[in-house]
Amino acid sequence: MKRGFFGSISAPRRKGQTFERDGAWFPFLGSVKSATGIAVNQSTAMRCSTVFACVNIIGEDVARAEPKLYRRIPDRVVDLGLVAPGGRKQVTNHWLANLFRRPNRVQDWYQFAGFMERSLQLKSNAYAVVLTNSRGEPSELIPMNPDKVVLLEAADGSLFYQFAPTGLFELSIFQKLRHSYQGFRVPSEYVFHMQELGFNMLLGASRIGFAADAIGLAIGQEQQAARWIANGAAPRMVLTTDKTLTDGAADRIRNEWRELNEGLENTGRTAVFEQGLQPKPFSLNSVDLEFIEARGLQVEDICRFYRMPPHKVAKMDRATNNNVEAQDADYVNNTLAPKFTRWERRLEFHFDLDEEGLEVDFDISDLFRASPTARMLTARQGVAGGIMTQNEARRLYDQNLPMIEGGDVLLAPTNLAATGSDSSGSPADGGGRPPAGEEKV
C-alpha cells in the first residue's frame, strides 16, 4: 500500500465509462436454478447438510492455521569462499503481523479467515475492504458478502469494486471513507480479493453454481423425505373393504384417518375401523430402497466438488480404523494445502511484501493435533535429524509440557560430525587446519 484511502473515490463519472463484470446485489440475485426447479444460492445451499459440512469444515480448518510473517535472510559468503546459508526470521512488529492478530474491530483472525474461506467455498470469491491509517498502512480488513459486490471496469482498464452495504455497521465503514451513498465504489488496490476457479482472470466462477444440479437434487430429496415424515412417512398401509363406499363415505374415512395418524405427534394412536375395513401394510419396495441409496450417492457427489473425503462429513461406509488416518493426511495435503498456498500468495501479491523481503507462511501444526502417533513420530525424527530442538519437539507434541534446561540447542547426529582435516575443518580436539595467519605448532 502506497497511500492512504480517506478521500472520495476517483471513479469514472460519465455514463458508459464502467460496466459490470459479474456479481449480484442481493443473495436472491445470486441464485442459480437447478434442473429440479430449486433455486440454489448461499442460503439454500447451506441448508443442504453435505454442503454445510464441507464449507464449514474447510472454513474452520483454514482458520485454525496461524499465519506468520517472516523476513528472508539471504545467504552470505564467509571466510575462504564458504557460503553461510540464510533462512528467515519471524517479524512481529509489522502492520500485517498486527492484522493477523486483529483483522478488524469486531473479529479475530479465526472469525475473519473463516468468513473469507466460506465465501470462497460457496462463491469462489472473497472480498475484504482495506482500511488504512494516517500513515497509509492497512489497519483493518472488513470482509463483505460476495453477493453484495460487483466488479466494475473503467475505460482505461482500472478496476473498481462496488458494494451494497446493509446494516448500520457496514454503512458506517463507507461513511468513514466519505463515500457518496450512490456509489460505494472502491479502487481495486483497497480491496483484498481472493478467487478460485473461473473463466477470466478477474473473477472466480461460483462453486455452488457449478454444483447447482447436485445440490438441488440433494435439497429436493431432503424435502421429499421431510414431506413423507410430515404425512406419517410413506403410506404404511392401505384400508380395504369388500363393501362399496360412496364418495362421501370414502372422503370422510380418509379425513378421519389423516387426523388420527398423520404427523409425528399422532404416531402410535389407536384406530377404530368401520364398514368392514381391513388394514393392509406396505413394506419398502425397490423404488423406496433406490431413493434411500440415491440420498447417499448425493453426499459423495457433492463431496467431489469440494475434494472432501466422505468420512469427514460423517459418511463412514468406506472408512476403517486402518485408512481414516491416511485419508486425513490426504485431506490436509490435497484439500487444505492448496488453500493455504492461495492465502500466502495472495497476501504477498496484494500487499507487495516481496519489495520488503517478507513472506507469509501458515503454521498448520494444529491440524495434526488429533494424531498423537504422528506428532510423536514427527518430534522424534526432528530431534534425531537435527531439524528441531528438544523444546521445539516438546511444544509440537504437547504445548502443556514444560521446557527443559538446555533444550534449545540443536543436537547434530554423531554420524555427521566433521572428520577433521586441512580441507574440511577442525575436530573437537583442536586438530586440523589452523586459523588464517597462524602457524600450527
Side-chain angles (χ1 to χ4, degrees):
M1 288 293 170
K2 302 297 189 297
R3 54 186 174 84
F5 182 50
F6 289 89
S8 60
I9 302 300
S10 57
R13 297 178 180 177
R14 296 196 305 271
K15 292 183 178 180
Q17 282 189 298
T18 64
F19 65 92
E20 299 178 4
R21 287 286 307 186
D22 196 5
W25 286 113
F26 299 104
F28 69 86
L29 293 178
S31 297
V32 176
K33 192 171 183 179
S34 66
T36 61
I38 297 174
V40 177
N41 53 45
Q42 293 188 68
S43 178
T44 59
M46 288 295 280
R47 295 175 188 173
C48 174
S49 61
T50 306
V51 176
F52 181 92
C54 290
V55 171
N56 210 40
I57 290 172
I58 292 175
E60 289 179 343
D61 285 343
V62 170
R64 284 169 58 192
E66 181 184 2
K68 295 182 179 180
L69 186 65
Y70 295 92
R71 186 176 302 280
R72 293 189 294 272
I73 301 175
D75 297 343
R76 56 189 178 89
V77 179
V78 294
D79 193 23
L80 300 177
L82 298 177
V83 177
R88 61 182 186 178
K89 180 180 180 182
Q90 185 175 355
V91 178
T92 58
N93 59 348
H94 190 272
W95 54 262
L96 185 55
N98 294 333
L99 288 178
F100 288 159
R101 291 187 290 269
R102 190 184 179 93
N104 54 62
R105 67 197 72 176
V106 297
Q107 291 179 312
D108 54 34
W109 180 261
Y110 183 87
Q111 293 172 312
F112 170 79
F115 184 105
M116 295 285 284
E117 190 61 37
R118 292 182 188 96
S119 297
L120 276 173
Q121 298 312 308
L122 289 168
K123 303 293 290 188
S124 297
N125 292 281
Y127 306 91
V129 177
V130 182
L131 304 185
T132 57
N133 57 27
S134 57
R135 297 186 299 273
E137 298 172 344
S139 59
E140 288 189 84
L141 298 174
I142 308 295
M144 299 291 290
N145 189 322
D147 278 334
K148 298 189 293 183
V149 184
V150 175
L151 177 61
L152 306 175
E153 292 183 74
D156 62 357
S158 301
L159 301 178
F160 297 83
Y161 294 87
Q162 184 156 323
F163 296 86
T166 55
L168 296 178
F169 176 78
E170 291 184 3
L171 286 172
S172 69
I173 296 298
F174 288 91
Q175 288 173 357
K176 177 182 177 181
L177 297 175
R178 295 201 290 270
H179 285 221
S180 65
Y181 187 79
Q182 299 175 352
F184 300 111
R185 293 176 181 174
V186 181
S188 59
E189 61 184 302
Y190 297 104
V191 177
F192 178 62
H193 178 197
M194 298 178 63
Q195 64 189 74
E196 285 197 333
L197 175 66
F199 299 112
N200 64 69
M201 60 189 296
L202 302 178
L203 286 170
S206 171
R207 185 189 297 269
I208 59 176
F210 284 128
D213 288 337
I215 296 173
L217 182 55
I219 294 174
Q221 291 174 338
E222 188 77 14
Q223 291 178 352
Q224 184 176 352
R227 290 189 182 100
W228 284 3
I229 293 296
N231 293 327
R236 290 187 295 268
M237 63 180 62
V238 62
L239 302 178
T240 64
T241 179
D242 295 334
K243 298 181 180 180
T244 302
L245 298 177
T246 64
D247 292 342
D251 290 340
R252 179 180 59 82
I253 294 173
R254 182 186 300 110
N255 293 333
E256 290 177 353
W257 182 261
R258 286 177 176 173
E259 293 177 2
L260 184 66
N261 292 280
E262 278 192 359
L264 296 177
E265 68 278 5
N266 292 324
T267 301
R269 295 185 66 179
T270 302
V272 178
F273 300 107
E274 58 177 302
Q275 301 293 335
L277 293 173
Q278 295 293 330
K280 181 179 179 181
F282 278 165
S283 60
L284 288 176
N285 56 31
S286 60
V287 176
D288 299 323
L289 296 175
E290 287 178 2
F291 175 79
I292 296 173
E293 180 67 21
R295 294 194 66 192
L297 292 176
Q298 283 309 112
V299 173
E300 297 181 5
D301 197 19
I302 293 174
C303 284
R304 292 188 188 100
F305 285 95
Y306 289 94
R307 197 186 289 174
M308 176 68 74
H311 81 277
K312 298 289 288 185
V313 297
K315 192 174 190 304
M316 307 294 293
D317 51 346
R318 297 182 183 177
T320 66
N321 292 333
N322 295 327
N323 66 15
V324 164
E325 188 169 339
Q327 290 185 57
D328 283 339
D330 180 77
Y331 165 72
V332 173
N333 293 331
N334 295 313
T335 302
L336 295 183
K339 303 183 188 307
F340 292 126
T341 300
R342 179 182 297 107
W343 274 90
E344 293 164 356
R345 299 295 181 267
R346 194 61 193 174
L347 287 165
E348 294 170 2
F349 176 85
H350 184 84
F351 294 114
D352 297 322
L353 298 183
D354 188 64
E355 296 181 2
E356 302 181 57
L358 300 173
E359 61 184 23
V360 177
D361 193 6
F362 278 75
D363 181 3
I364 65 173
S365 59
D366 188 57
L367 297 175
F368 296 98
R369 294 209 167 274
S371 175
T373 302
R375 295 202 309 272
M376 176 61 75
L377 181 61
T378 301
R380 179 180 179 181
Q381 292 178 342
V383 173
I387 298 175
M388 63 175 61
T389 66
Q390 289 177 297
N391 282 338
E392 288 173 338
R394 291 170 72 85
R395 282 192 294 268
L396 174 64
Y397 182 73
D398 186 349
Q399 294 201 7
N400 294 320
L401 287 177
M403 300 298 99
I404 61 176
E405 184 177 355
D408 293 318
V409 179
L410 285 175
L411 303 177
T414 56
N415 60 340
L416 297 181
T419 56
S421 68
D422 286 342
S423 61
S424 64
S426 301
D429 61 2
R433 185 179 64 249
E438 297 183 10
E439 294 184 1
K440 187 173 181 179
V441 179

